């Protein structure tokens, strides 16, 4: 899923649990479970789960836009929620837990380590679980569905 979607899920978890440690843990676990849903980004990685050199530029642009949208989402939610998401420990911990697995994969792309490779393999075990059996979805449909979900989260929380 996109970082923006994981951020929205982190906000939902933070709202539901109201505790930073629980929010972080549930956010972290939610990442792997939500990633199981095929979301059209398998072509961005190679068989070693590294950024696919053929789509490297597209992948980097995708991540930059995604992170910018995630920050924009936080700013929007910061204005509509009574407990400002940009200043709340609960939301920060829940969102951090929700996006951390992808950040760890990104760090492993840059700084290779045995632990990083182990986590990357673990992450993509879940990420590709359904895609390996049934194929990936179209990226544009996945992004449309995620956009609808994010708008729904903003509407639900405001
Ligand atoms: Zn992920």
């Amino acid at each position: 899923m996109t970082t923006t979607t994981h951020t929205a899920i982190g906000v939902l978890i933070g709202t539901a649990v109201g505790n930073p440690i629980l929010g972080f843990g549930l956010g972290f676990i939610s990442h792997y479970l939500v990633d199981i849903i095929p979301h059209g980004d398998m072509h961005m990685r190679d068989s070693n789960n590294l950024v696919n050199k053929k789509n490297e530029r597209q992948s980097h642009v995708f991540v930059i836009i995604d992170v910018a949208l995630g920050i924009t989402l936080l700013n929007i939610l910061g204005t509509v929620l009574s407990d400002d998401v940009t200043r709340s420990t609960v939301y920060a911990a829940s969102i951090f837990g929700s996006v951390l697995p992808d950040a760890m994969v990104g760090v492993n792309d840059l700084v290779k380590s045995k632990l990083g490779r182990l986590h990357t393999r673990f992450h993509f075990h879940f990420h590709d679980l359904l895609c390996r059996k049934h194929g990936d979805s179209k990226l544009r449909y996945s992004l449309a569905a995620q956009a609808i979900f994010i708008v729904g989260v903003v509407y639900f929380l405001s």
Side-chain angles (χ1 to χ4, degrees):
M1 295 295 163
T2 62
T3 300
T4 309
T5 298
H6 287 300
T7 299
I9 291 168
V11 171
L12 283 176
I13 289 170
T15 301
V17 300
N19 175 297
I21 296 169
L22 196 55
F24 175 84
L26 290 176
F28 194 76
I29 293 167
S30 79
H31 185 106
Y32 300 101
L33 298 178
V34 171
D35 264 1
I36 292 173
I37 301 167
H39 48 278
D41 64 354
M42 278 187 75
H43 68 284
M44 293 184 187
R45 307 200 68 82
D46 66 18
S47 57
N48 294 320
N49 292 322
L50 297 171
V51 173
N52 189 336
K53 294 295 177 199
K54 202 174 88 184
N55 299 316
E56 189 172 24
R57 188 183 198 119
Q58 178 195 12
S59 298
H60 290 154
V61 169
F62 186 87
V63 168
I64 290 167
I65 291 171
D66 186 19
V67 170
L69 287 174
I71 293 168
T72 303
L73 172 66
L74 288 177
N75 284 312
I76 290 169
L77 290 173
T79 60
V80 297
L81 291 178
S82 56
D83 189 8
D84 187 344
V85 295
T86 60
R87 296 172 198 257
S88 163
T89 309
V90 173
Y91 288 119
S94 302
I95 294 165
F96 185 65
S98 296
V99 301
L100 184 59
D102 279 349
M104 291 166 63
V105 168
V107 167
N108 184 58
D109 280 354
L110 300 172
V111 185
K112 313 240 180 324
S113 70
K114 190 174 181 178
L115 190 62
R117 275 193 299 276
L118 198 64
H119 171 263
T120 297
R121 201 174 315 134
F122 178 79
H123 174 270
F124 284 101
H125 169 76
F126 288 96
H127 186 277
D128 300 343
L129 202 60
L130 291 179
C131 294
R132 280 192 300 268
K133 289 181 184 171
H134 307 290
D136 204 0
S137 66
K138 295 272 187 201
L139 182 59
R140 63 178 171 268
Y141 297 143
S142 168
L143 292 176
Q146 290 180 70
I148 291 167
F149 171 77
I150 291 162
V151 169
V153 168
V154 172
Y155 179 78
F156 175 73
L157 294 175
S158 56

